[in-house]
Amino acid sequence: MIAIIGGTGVYQLPGAETEERELETPYGTIGVTLRHLPDGLDIVFAARHGKGHAVPPHRLPSRALLWGLRDMGVTGILSTSAVGALTTDLPPGTLALLGDFMDFTKSRPTTFHDGPGVVHVDVTETYCPTLRGALRDVAARMGVPLYPRDVVYVCTEGPRFETPSEIRAYRMLGGDVVGMTQVPEAVLARELGIHYAGVALVTNLAAGIEGSRPSHHEVLDLMGRSGETVARLLLQAAAEIGENPDCSHCPKSEGMS
Ligand code: HPA
């Protein structure tokens, strides 16, 4: 089954939801919605920050969410993220697929592999090429413009925005966009062997770029205008991918039993 994780500004899928589910996991309980499509396909939707955007990025119950989705039989995830741009090449409103990430988080549980035993998960290719390809195809057919290359996401701890010096440093290191939620979400998906792709929506220029001072209001405003387009793209892609992504050419996942 395919799951869609909606970030800031994407709290539901277009159309009527059909069934609410509570997922019990060793890491806590998580609420998701099941969407039954006419051809018998089910899609799971989860609002990353919970109902009403209640949970801040450094306190997200990511382990409960990923564990619960895996228990439901989810094999592929399409997600949305609001991001700041580290360059004016990605003006607000730009949509881009995620190609890699850098982790600057500080205080979150970032793994299921908490011992005993040592497991090192390969994150050379965190973002699934098959799911990314499906998103590009569907976006082209829907006439939704995507940035031509996949971008590098810098994940910060938040909840504060970054300083202009931090943003300059992240850009020098090779980052394209900055957000607060890809880590550990994408890593945990990888640990469970769930294929994962992310669409970033640029809501603002990051701190100090052309004098920008990011604000939560600005992020919500842009997401309010463009969030539905992203949700439609992900829903259509999920419907076309079908029951399970065909990931026979993807690198081997390090799934846990
Ligand atoms: N920084 C971090 N996270 C964000 C930003 C930003 O500028 N915009 C949207 N999410």
Side-chain angles (χ1 to χ4, degrees):
M1 193 173 359
I2 300 289
I4 293 176
I5 300 179
T8 300
V10 181
Y11 306 118
Q12 59 188 33
L13 292 176
E17 303 294 352
T18 41
E19 198 185 323
E20 306 237 330
R21 287 270 183 93
E22 296 264 285
L23 311 178
E24 309 280 344
T25 80
Y27 303 97
T29 305
I30 208 92
V32 299
T33 328
L34 257 191
R35 166 68 61 87
H36 306 296
L37 297 185
D39 54 5
L41 194 67
D42 283 348
I43 290 169
V44 194
F45 176 78
R48 185 182 285 128
H49 295 274
K51 281 193 178 145
H53 200 90
V55 190
H58 62 297
R59 292 203 179 277
L60 289 175
S62 302
R63 289 195 294 186
L65 177 59
L66 273 291
W67 195 272
L69 293 179
R70 195 275 308 264
D71 278 355
M72 282 187 87
V74 166
T75 54
I77 292 175
L78 306 175
S79 76
T80 72
S81 307
V83 295
L86 300 179
T87 158
T88 51
D89 290 350
L90 290 151
T94 306
L95 278 177
L97 295 183
L98 302 182
D100 201 358
F101 71 83
M102 287 190 230
D103 180 8
F104 287 92
T105 65
K106 295 182 179 133
S107 71
R108 312 167 179 194
T110 52
T111 182
F112 292 116
H113 298 302
D114 247 347
V118 179
V119 179
H120 299 296
V121 172
D122 170 24
V123 283
T124 312
E125 195 160 37
T126 308
Y127 298 100
C128 168
T130 306
L131 294 182
R132 283 194 264 169
L135 284 165
R136 272 211 186 276
D137 289 350
V138 172
R141 259 182 285 120
M142 289 175 73
V144 174
L146 283 181
Y147 191 62
R149 73 170 167 78
D150 299 353
V151 296
V152 177
Y153 179 111
V154 175
C155 192
T156 60
E157 180 67 9
R160 68 168 175 85
F161 287 115
E162 301 71 35
T163 66
S165 306
E166 287 170 331
I167 292 300
R168 275 196 300 278
Y170 296 147
R171 182 63 185 156
M172 282 194 274
L173 291 174
D176 297 304
V177 297
V178 60
M180 303 175 190
T181 57
Q182 271 299 289
V183 180
E185 188 175 288
V187 178
L188 296 174
R190 188 104 197 109
E191 287 188 353
L192 294 179
I194 302 176
H195 294 264
Y196 187 103
V199 179
L201 174 54
V202 177
T203 53
N204 56 282
L205 294 177
I209 308 258
E210 291 201 326
S212 168
R213 285 172 174 255
S215 72
H216 193 47
H217 172 76
E218 182 183 17
V219 172
L220 293 180
D221 181 50
L222 201 295
M223 287 308 304
R225 282 183 277 136
S226 304
E228 182 156 343
T229 306
V230 190
R232 282 190 189 287
L233 169 65
L234 266 52
L235 184 57
Q236 185 60 32
E240 292 193 22
I241 290 162
E243 193 60 36
N244 291 302
D246 171 13
C247 290
S248 42
H249 300 299
C250 287
K252 183 177 164 294
S253 298
E254 304 268 340
M256 285 170 71
S257 57

